[in-house]
Amino acid sequence: MVSVSDAQAIILNLVQPLDRLRDTEIVNLLAADSRILAVPVTSPLDFPHWDNSAMDGYAVRYEDVQHSSAEQPTVLEIVEDIPAGYQPNSTIQPGEAARIFTGALMPAGADTIVIQERTRRDENRVHILAAPKPQEFVRHKASFYQAGTQLLPAGIKLNASEIAVLAAAQCPQLSVYRRPRVAIFSTGDELVPIDQPLQSGQIVDSNQYALAALVKESGAEPLLLGIVKDDPVALEKVITHAIAIADLVISSGGVSVGDYDYVDKILQSLSAKIHIRSVEMRPGKPLTVATFPSTDAINRVSSHSPLYFGLPGNPAAVLVTFWQFVLPAIKKLSGITEGWEPAFLKVRSHHELRSDGKRETYLWGKLHLIDGVYEFYKAGGSSSSGNLINLAQTNALAVLPMGKTLISPQEEVQVLQLVNGE
């Protein structure tokens, strides 16, 4: 059995990111949201494209207005109005000004903006009531970005702000990594699909639906392979198919030490190397992580051998182990260059939290902002790994380290904040 931190390190060391040459595709900008940029972007445009005004006011020569005050205002002649999108026609001479609006081009001869709140207009003249700073409220060409330099690096997730930058840079298409393919199946004779009436002793397969949703949220493509009975022949067939079509494989159930837990034996029969068999955590102790030898014997869709995750069967354990181990692996696989590991916060616990201290323990609940400070509220009811019901609407996992049996109310606790795909 390995520690949670050692398991995390082993898994991330095993992950091989998608290949920048083979595993990319060209997409339109409107289809690029949440994709991972594969090639750095440059632009032939400067930002700003030209010197322009940051405020509504008057474009002036600083030397004309540097001594202005309310008691002794400088009076300038207004020679032009310059709205945004208008090409100025005048060159500002000594004693002149141009009325200008936010985003409009600076006229030749002017080097400073006096905001309208510090002026008084009298027909075609403006009274400057306060001295501005030199070049105040002027946005200079290329001061935000210089044409030809890197605009966005490869390996970042494209969110709304990056999409806006790319649109402004007139990038209608770009190269992104393809979505990782994640094969998902559940094991167990007791499992039935959601549309089948339950018989005594049967359980609806919720894990496949939860994992499919989590995989989609992570930006990957789920490949659903259904329910596989506790039959070694059927399991081997499905696992062989899964590693041929996917970059990463997730099964739930069948990785404990019961008489009908066949997954590890089948992986070994397929020459897989098992790196992890169990982890010192609750829930989620039975966890199998394996890789397969690099060979052309299987017509794999990926440029490298897939990573196999055999998750526990209990629903809460499936979710906890996904958030802790599988999600970081998908992030690294997808081409993101950094920030794969789960992000923890230190917050106050509203409730008393208990553990037997024998393993690192995860308790689910909600984060609430109370008087500007986050507090963790434990979900009501049992924290059993089989209790799926009280997982609904939770957004955080409180972590009690090994040896820690009690966290009192208002005591600090480490919390994993659950953010979709982040």
Side-chain angles (χ1 to χ4, degrees):
M1 194 169 357
V2 300
S3 68
V4 172
S5 60
D6 285 346
Q8 185 81 74
I10 290 169
I11 290 166
L12 287 177
N13 284 334
L14 291 172
V15 176
Q16 301 177 53
L18 295 176
D19 186 83
R20 186 173 292 186
L21 297 178
R22 172 173 170 170
D23 296 318
T24 60
E25 58 190 16
I26 304 297
V27 299
N28 292 329
L29 185 58
L30 285 174
D33 181 47
S34 298
R35 303 299 296 272
I36 310 302
L37 190 62
V39 177
V41 175
T42 61
S43 174
L45 301 175
D46 290 317
F47 286 85
H49 310 318
W50 47 74
D51 290 354
N52 69 91
S53 176
M55 300 288 284
D56 291 350
Y58 294 87
V60 301
R61 292 162 20 104
Y62 174 72
E63 62 184 286
D64 286 345
V65 299
Q66 58 183 315
H67 302 300
S68 303
S69 67
E71 294 77 22
Q72 292 185 317
T74 302
V75 181
L76 304 174
E77 183 183 0
I78 301 170
V79 296
E80 188 173 18
D81 280 5
I82 309 174
Y86 175 80
Q87 183 67 42
N89 294 316
S90 302
T91 297
I92 303 303
Q93 303 294 335
E96 296 180 344
R99 177 72 168 114
I100 197 167
F101 297 88
T102 303
L105 275 71
M106 288 291 291
D111 57 17
T112 300
I113 299 296
V114 179
I115 59 174
Q116 62 186 24
E117 292 85 351
R118 298 173 183 170
T119 67
R120 177 170 56 83
R121 184 163 181 170
D122 181 14
E123 295 184 350
N124 68 333
R125 289 182 175 82
V126 60
H127 296 248
I128 308 300
L129 306 177
K133 297 177 182 178
Q135 303 185 52
E136 191 170 19
F137 298 119
V138 176
R139 295 187 290 219
H140 292 283
K141 179 181 179 181
S143 60
F144 301 162
Y145 167 80
Q146 187 173 0
T149 60
Q150 181 172 281
L151 182 65
L152 293 176
I156 63 169
K157 185 177 180 180
L158 299 174
N159 294 314
S161 55
E162 290 79 21
I163 296 295
V165 168
L166 292 166
Q170 295 185 317
C171 296
Q173 293 184 321
L174 57 153
S175 177
V176 298
Y177 287 102
R178 65 170 174 83
R179 297 186 187 277
R181 301 179 181 94
V182 181
I184 302 168
F185 63 92
S186 303
T187 70
D189 290 340
E190 74 280 14
L191 299 178
V192 296
I194 62 173
D195 56 354
Q196 180 175 315
L198 285 176
Q199 303 297 321
S200 178
Q202 292 183 330
I203 303 172
V204 175
D205 175 24
S206 63
N207 287 344
Q208 193 160 187
Y209 289 87
L211 288 169
L214 290 167
V215 166
K216 285 182 180 179
E217 290 171 1
S218 75
E221 177 188 353
L223 308 174
L224 302 184
L225 303 184
I227 299 169
V228 185
K229 298 299 183 182
D230 290 323
D231 171 58
V233 175
L235 273 171
E236 181 173 346
K237 182 179 180 181
V238 170
I239 292 174
T240 301
H241 177 58
I243 62 178
I245 64 171
D247 303 292
L248 190 146
V249 180
I250 307 174
S251 65
S252 63
V255 292
S256 191
V257 291
D259 292 340
Y260 298 97
D261 295 322
Y262 299 118
V263 170
D264 283 12
K265 294 177 183 178
I266 293 170
L267 292 175
Q268 290 175 318
S269 73
L270 294 173
S271 301
K273 181 177 181 180
I274 298 179
H275 302 269
I276 298 173
R277 294 181 184 272
S278 61
V279 182
E280 293 173 329
M281 66 185 295
R282 175 179 287 118
K285 175 184 174 183
L287 173 71
T288 293
V289 178
T291 54
F292 298 86
S294 297
T295 174
D296 293 331
I298 299 176
N299 183 26
R300 295 193 177 103
V301 70
S302 177
S303 57
H304 53 263
S305 174
L307 185 62
Y308 188 99
F309 284 92
L311 305 186
N314 284 322
V318 165
L319 293 174
V320 170
T321 50
F322 183 95
W323 285 319
Q324 181 64 269
F325 302 118
V326 184
L327 180 57
I330 293 176
K331 286 182 178 180
K332 184 176 180 182
L333 173 65
S334 69
I336 295 174
T337 53
E338 59 184 3
W340 312 309
E341 299 86 354
F344 290 90
L345 305 173
K346 287 186 177 180
V347 305
R348 292 190 310 218
S349 179
H350 183 80
H351 295 113
E352 179 179 277
L353 306 178
R354 287 190 173 272
S355 161
D356 63 10
K358 295 179 181 178
R359 284 180 272 161
E360 189 168 300
T361 300
Y362 292 74
L363 302 172
W364 43 95
K366 281 187 175 183
L367 282 178
H368 291 283
L369 192 62
I370 308 296
D371 297 328
V373 177
Y374 276 113
E375 288 192 12
F376 175 78
Y377 285 65
K378 181 178 174 292
S382 166
S383 294
S384 164
S385 62
N387 184 5
L388 177 63
I389 302 303
N390 69 347
L391 272 163
Q393 300 183 69
T394 57
N395 63 9
L397 298 174
V399 184
L400 278 69
M402 289 181 61
K404 184 77 171 179
T405 60
L406 172 66
I407 291 179
S408 301
Q410 300 306 303
E411 186 179 347
E412 192 175 72
V413 62
Q414 194 175 46
V415 166
L416 173 60
Q417 188 172 12
L418 306 177
V419 180
N420 295 349
E422 300 296 332

